[in-house]
Structures are given as structure tokens and as C-alpha cells.
Amino acid sequence: MTDWHNQYNKDYCDSLSVEKLKCWESEKYVKPECGTKIYDYLDQPGLFFTFKTSASCC
């Protein structure tokens, strides 16, 4: 799970995880009251500092 999903889960009392996502359209997997606001989390300063890369992407 990413910090992005952790923050969403905390704000919306949900249990979203990367494993539950089947496509790039994350708004399909969040609560209706969140919708496309899920992408607002990506604007948070420092969010990408904690992302880890995968060996398969290098």
C-alpha cells in the first residue's frame, strides 16, 4: 500500500490497496464521495519521496 492510499483510507474510512486496482482509473475504486478527488492526494508535497521502485522497472 502506498502513502497515497493510506491517506485516502484514513480520510474516507476505506481499505483501498494497490492489489484491488485493476486499471489506471483509481476513481472507479474509491467511495463515490471521493471520486476524482483521489488524484488531489498526488499534489501533496513530499508524497513521492517515500515511493519505492521495483527492480522490474529499471
Side-chain angles (χ1 to χ4, degrees):
M1 187 176 319
T2 66
D3 288 344
W4 176 23
H5 297 122
N6 281 333
Q7 189 61 49
Y8 160 79
N9 288 335
K10 187 165 91 173
D11 292 347
Y12 288 91
C13 297
D14 205 354
S15 60
L16 183 66
S17 67
V18 173
E19 294 78 25
K20 293 181 180 179
L21 302 176
K22 304 295 181 200
C23 72
W24 288 103
E25 298 169 285
S26 294
E27 70 273 14
K28 291 182 175 183
Y29 301 93
V30 298
K31 291 187 174 184
E33 59 267 30
C34 179
T36 58
K37 290 185 282 185
I38 186 66
Y39 302 112
D40 293 346
Y41 291 102
L42 298 175
D43 290 331
Q44 292 180 355
L47 178 71
F48 295 101
F49 289 134
T50 59
F51 279 4
K52 298 195 179 7
T53 58
S54 169
S56 63
C57 74
C58 299

